[in-house]
Structures are given as structure tokens and as C-alpha cells.
């Protein structure tokens, strides 16, 4: 089975938002956010919903398969 993937990178690029900005808004380190963006680590559902709120998108827009 394929590993779950997220679309955080794509949404950030579409909106022209930097990972450092998202890290600051989340109150997390750049390294943690970068691991989410690069799909090395998946955020918890709570964090995923927080990211969606910050980016003003539906949580379902952050979830997808490649």
C-alpha cells in the first residue's frame, strides 16, 4: 500500500506562502513544517485542521494521493 501523502507543498506554492511563515503561524519549528511539506512526516489530524484554517482551505484539500 502507498504511504499517505499530503498536498501541503502544492497549496503553499499555489498561495505563494513560505514554509517559514506557516511554521511561525503554527508555533512549530521550520524543521517540523518542512518534514510535513516533504512528506517525511504526516501531521496529526489536529495539526492538519489547524494548517487548513491558517491557509484558508478545506482540510480535504490538504489530503491526496500521488
Amino acid at each position: 500500500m502507498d504511504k499517505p501523502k499530503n498536498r501541503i507543498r502544492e497549496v503553499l506554492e499555489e498561495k505563494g506562502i513560505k514554509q517559514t511563515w506557516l511554521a511561525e503561524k503554527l508555533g512549530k519549528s521550520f524543521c517540523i513544517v518542512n518534514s510535513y511539506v516533504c512528506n517525511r512526516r504526516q501531521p496529526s489530524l489536529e495539526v492538519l485542521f489547524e494548517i487548513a484554517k491558517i491557509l484558508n482551505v478545506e482540510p480535504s484539500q490538504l489530503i491526496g494521493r500521488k
Side-chain angles (χ1 to χ4, degrees), residues 1-55:
M1 180 165 25
D2 291 335
K3 280 177 48 175
K5 302 270 187 197
N6 67 59
R7 294 191 60 251
I8 297 171
R9 177 188 303 271
E10 289 89 347
V11 174
L12 288 175
E13 289 174 358
E14 288 167 9
K15 293 184 170 276
I17 295 173
K18 302 276 186 200
Q19 292 178 41
T20 51
W21 180 87
L22 180 59
E24 185 179 311
K25 293 293 183 186
L26 280 172
K28 298 203 177 284
S29 72
F30 171 81
C31 290
I32 294 290
V33 171
N34 183 259
S35 67
Y36 297 156
V37 170
C38 294
N39 279 298
R40 290 189 305 268
R41 178 179 184 169
Q42 294 303 315
S44 67
L45 283 177
E46 181 181 337
V47 173
L48 186 75
F49 275 76
E50 189 174 350
I51 292 170
K53 183 177 179 181
I54 290 168
L55 297 178

